[in-house]
Every structure is written in C-alpha cells, then in structure tokens.
C-alpha cells in the first residue's frame, strides 16, 4: 500500500495554517523564514520557489536573499550574521549545494542554532543524539510523521538505513532508535547488503541510485521508505527502490514522487513555527 506523502503533507500544512490564522486574528507577529540562495543552480531555484509558495499558503512570512555565484565566503558569512541578529527572522535556511569556493560546514555552523530550521548545526545534532528537544532535519522528521500516520510502532522492530549522510541517514537512524527500534546503518562498504536488508521490518533507502533495491533486498511485509530522487532510463522520476518490482511484496511503501519528498517542506514550515514559538516564549520569559 502506498503511503501518500503528498496528502499527509497537505494535512500538516492545513493544520499549521489554522495556527497562523489564529496569530493573525490576535494581531500577533507572524513567523518568518529567510532562505539564502547563492548562484543559479536550477534545481535549487525550484526548491526555493516551492518553499516560498508553501510559506505563502500557510500564511507565514518569507524572504529570499539571492546572491551571485561569485559571492565570497566572507560576504555570505556577513549575510548570515545579519540574519542571526534580525529579530523579525525566526528561521534561516541556506540552500545547498553552495559554490565550491565556499565551505558549507563553516556557513552552516554559523547559523544561530535557534534559527537553524534545517537542523544541521552541531548544537541541534547534539540534542538529537541526546534525545533532547531541538530542531530536527526535515526529511528524517518527515519519515517519522509518515510512520505515525500509518500507526506503525517501531518498538522492537528491525530498521535498516542504507545511507550514512548527515542530512538523512544518521539523523533518521537516531530518530528510530529513540522510538525503541533496533537500527543498523548500512553503506557502500557494507558486506552482504541484500541479506542485511532482507531482515528489515523497515527499510530506509537513501543512496541516490535509481531502482537499486529490488525484491531481492526486501522482506515480505516490510515497510519501505524511499528517499531517493533520481531519473530512470526513460528520464522519469524514480526512487532508490524498484517500485514495480517490490510493490506487491511490501506492506507499505512511499512512491517517488509523492512520498517522502512533500514531507520535507511541510517539516520545514513546522520547524520555522517551532523556532518562532521558542523565540516568543524566551522573549516573554516563559
């Protein structure tokens, strides 16, 4: 059965819209997300436009700071520091990838952790490791929401995460661990990958290789969360999982497109609202 990420994301955005409508009715300050875009990467421009439209839909304020490809690292750092000190900005997102002459880590570490709606700052990563409240990376958090929506209890389940990135693999493994799952992180150097994946009650595929996981990797009745966004031999969007090959074997699967992807922006909006709430509470001494 498909897990309809598009439908679930729309529901979450509608719920957030109601909260922001209430802020408007009460004459309160509205949450604001600022996205920093460096360069002319077409995919990045599309992502940023989608984020801007999503903010407009829920009634959240948004701003896009556009910088050219030749922008120096020092100039970008100045922009980030200015946003850090701007009391009207609740969330800061630097669209990746950055031009090669800019060190991503240096920029991401400069963002105020309380405004780090991507959840990439070491302070927020530490909170995730420790199981404390913080801003969690959007895609992993979106996958947890999808599992909640199908009422899937991770307690005691075996989860295999294939992919060890700081953006998806590692954080989603920690989130599953906090939900009392037994978690294995696999990667390009894992031995006997197919045998390992066949044990998984939940398989999370995040390696960026089109249709890599076929039925030889899937346990009957497993839940499959496909993070991949690729193009197949016919230039159509596809995931890391061979959907047609495994769909009759699994109990639940996220399609591509329309599965995990839509949840990422929904979680970004929720993170911005959460950052707004925390800043307002701090301002009011709560």
């Amino acid at each position: 059965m498909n897990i309809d990420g598009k439908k679930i994301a729309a529901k979450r955005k509608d719920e957030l819209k109601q909260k922001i409508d209430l802020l408007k009715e009460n004459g309160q300050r509205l949450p604001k997300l600022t996205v920093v875009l460096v360069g002319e990467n077409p995919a990045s421009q599309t992502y940023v436009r989608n984020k801007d439209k999503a903010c407009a839909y829920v009634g959240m304020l948004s701003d896009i700071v556009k910088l050219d490809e030749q922008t120096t690292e020092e100039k970008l750092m100045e922009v980030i520091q200015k946003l850090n000190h701007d009391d009207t900005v609740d969330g800061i997102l630097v669209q990746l990838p950055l031009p090669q002459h800019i060190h991503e880590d240096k920029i991401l570490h400069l963002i105020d952790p309380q405004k780090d709606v991507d959840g990439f700052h070491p302070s927020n990563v530490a909170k995730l490791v420790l199981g404390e409240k913080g801003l969690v990376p959007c895609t992993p958090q979106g996958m947890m929401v999808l599992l909640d929506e199908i009422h899937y209890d991770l307690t005691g389940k075996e989860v295999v995460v294939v992919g060890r990135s700081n953006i998806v693999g590692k954080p989603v493994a920690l989130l599953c661990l906090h939900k009392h799952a037994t978690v294995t992180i696999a990667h390009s150097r894992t031995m006997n990958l197919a045998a390992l994946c066949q044990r998984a009650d939940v398989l999370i595929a995040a390696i960026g290789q089109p249709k890599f996981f076929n039925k030889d990797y899937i346990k009957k009745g497993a839940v499959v969360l496909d993070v991949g966004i690729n193009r197949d031999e016919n230039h159509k969007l596809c995931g890391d999982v061979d959907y047609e090959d495994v769909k009759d074997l699994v109990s639940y699967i996220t399609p591509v497109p329309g599965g995990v992807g839509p949840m990422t922006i929904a979680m970004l909006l929720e993170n911005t609202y959460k950052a707004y709430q925390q800043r307002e509470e701090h301002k009011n001494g709560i």
Side-chain angles (χ1 to χ4, degrees):
M1 181 183 297
N2 278 351
I3 306 176
D4 191 342
K6 191 174 181 180
K7 181 179 178 180
I8 295 167
K11 185 182 81 167
R12 301 287 290 217
K13 285 190 280 190
D14 284 340
E15 290 170 354
L16 182 56
K17 185 177 186 301
Q18 291 177 1
K19 294 176 182 177
I20 294 176
D21 285 344
L22 192 58
L23 294 176
K24 291 178 182 177
E25 290 174 15
N26 294 332
Q28 293 176 262
R29 184 179 75 84
L30 300 180
K32 181 178 178 180
L33 170 68
T34 296
V35 177
V36 180
L37 175 63
V38 185
E40 304 293 331
N41 183 297
S44 292
Q45 290 179 326
T46 299
Y47 294 147
V48 169
R49 281 196 300 271
N50 289 340
K51 290 164 185 173
D52 196 45
K53 289 177 183 176
C55 286
Y57 177 78
V58 300
M60 188 179 290
L61 302 177
S62 65
D63 189 25
I64 303 173
V65 178
K66 294 183 178 180
L67 302 171
D68 64 47
E69 188 82 19
Q70 284 71 44
T71 298
T72 64
E73 188 172 83
E74 291 73 20
K75 173 60 179 176
L76 179 55
M77 292 174 72
E78 287 177 13
V79 170
I80 300 301
Q81 288 285 31
K82 184 177 179 181
L83 294 173
N84 282 342
H85 294 100
D86 188 338
D87 287 338
T88 70
V89 175
D90 300 289
I92 302 170
L93 184 152
V94 177
Q95 183 64 46
L96 303 179
L98 290 170
Q100 288 187 351
H101 66 278
I102 296 176
H103 295 87
E104 288 185 357
D105 286 349
K106 187 183 289 189
I107 299 303
L108 296 178
H109 294 181
L110 187 64
I111 297 171
D112 181 344
Q114 294 182 329
K115 297 185 178 186
D116 168 40
V117 288
D118 258 337
F120 296 160
H121 191 281
S123 175
N124 284 317
V125 174
K127 287 179 179 178
L128 178 57
V129 171
L130 296 171
E132 297 177 0
K133 289 184 178 179
L135 293 168
V136 177
C138 301
T139 300
Q141 183 63 26
M143 285 189 273
M144 294 299 101
V145 171
L146 293 177
L147 291 174
D148 286 343
E149 287 287 332
I150 63 172
H151 307 291
Y152 191 86
D153 184 1
L154 283 170
T155 302
K157 297 297 194 302
E158 186 157 5
V159 176
V160 175
V161 181
V162 189
R164 52 180 166 176
S165 73
N166 294 331
I167 295 172
V168 176
K170 292 175 186 175
V172 78
L174 287 166
L175 289 171
C176 290
L177 194 62
H178 295 327
K179 293 272 190 177
H180 312 298
T182 299
V183 184
T184 302
I185 302 178
H187 46 79
S188 59
R189 299 187 184 183
T190 298
M191 303 291 286
N192 302 317
L193 180 61
L196 177 64
C197 292
Q198 285 171 357
R199 291 183 359 215
D201 299 304
V202 179
L203 176 66
I204 297 175
I207 60 171
Q209 294 190 34
K211 299 182 180 179
F212 179 88
F213 298 93
N214 57 27
K215 62 186 177 183
D216 295 334
Y217 289 81
I218 309 296
K219 174 182 177 180
K220 183 174 175 59
V223 174
V224 176
L225 302 180
D226 189 350
V227 186
I229 302 177
N230 312 291
R231 295 281 176 178
D232 66 12
E233 62 278 5
N234 298 314
H235 302 290
K236 290 185 178 180
L237 277 177
C238 69
D240 291 349
V241 178
D242 189 338
Y243 177 87
E244 291 298 325
D245 197 49
V246 311
K247 65 180 182 180
D248 295 327
L249 185 62
V250 301
S251 59
Y252 288 97
I253 186 171
T254 56
V256 178
V260 174
M263 295 302 300
T264 301
I265 289 182
M267 295 301 102
L268 171 64
L269 299 177
E270 291 190 12
N271 271 356
T272 304
Y273 183 75
K274 181 179 179 180
Y276 161 84
Q277 282 186 306
Q278 291 175 343
R279 295 183 68 241
E280 287 297 297
E281 288 172 0
H282 178 74
K283 187 190 303 181
N284 296 322
I286 298 175

